Amino acid sequence: SYVRGDLAPGRFLCGASPPATDDPRVGVDALENVDHALFEESIWPALAARIPAFEALRVEASWAGLYEYCTLDQNAVVGPHPDAANVVVAAGFSGHGLQHAPGVGRGVAELLDAGRYETLDLAAFSYDRVVSGTPFREANIW
């Protein structure tokens, strides 16, 4: 479960990704249905345990959305596509795209301009790891 402040004072955005075993493949049409039971049974109790003031929390609005990530290791994919010489990939950032955009943008620009990463070595995020099935695990998220 996660929580962060929303734009309006006193409002919060919270949610959770279901376990992989409970995460069915769905189309965009399925996003019309919010899983309110997930909030009531899982998210709200976790938030209230971490932040006791959230025990009084009440839902004002809800929505469902897709969480984009690379299913191999839940990390972004950055760099040339191995099967298409003129395609550079920068995808799979989930909700962190804005956070990673300056560094990834610079790295991709260097890759296109100089043919290599110069400032930040983003090779660990290459498409090759996806093709070879070699995950790049982030040790600092749980």
Side-chain angles (χ1 to χ4, degrees):
S1 296
Y2 63 87
V3 63
R4 67 172 175 81
D6 203 4
L7 295 176
R11 290 185 61 141
F12 299 90
L13 178 65
C14 59
S17 294
T21 56
D22 297 335
D23 193 10
R25 293 198 172 276
V26 297
V28 175
D29 293 342
L31 298 179
E32 295 176 12
N33 302 313
V34 174
D35 185 355
H36 295 285
L38 177 65
F39 179 80
E40 294 289 335
E41 297 166 9
S42 179
I43 298 170
W44 191 7
L47 293 177
R50 291 180 198 156
I51 307 167
F54 277 22
E55 181 63 40
L57 181 76
R58 296 296 175 259
V59 175
E60 291 183 6
S62 60
W63 58 273
L66 297 175
Y67 191 80
E68 173 203 31
Y69 64 84
C70 174
T71 56
L72 175 67
D73 55 16
Q74 298 186 8
N75 270 311
V77 179
V78 180
H81 190 286
D83 298 329
N86 63 341
V87 174
V88 175
V89 177
F93 295 98
S94 67
H96 303 99
L98 209 63
Q99 184 179 13
H100 295 295
V104 171
R106 182 178 189 128
V108 169
E110 291 171 354
L111 189 62
L112 294 172
D113 184 53
R116 66 186 186 285
Y117 299 118
E118 297 179 320
T119 308
L120 299 168
D121 185 0
L122 301 177
F125 296 102
S126 77
Y127 205 102
D128 292 335
R129 79 176 201 284
V130 177
V131 173
S132 69
T134 307
F136 175 54
R137 301 275 182 215
E138 169 60 56
N140 297 315
I141 53 175
W142 21 271

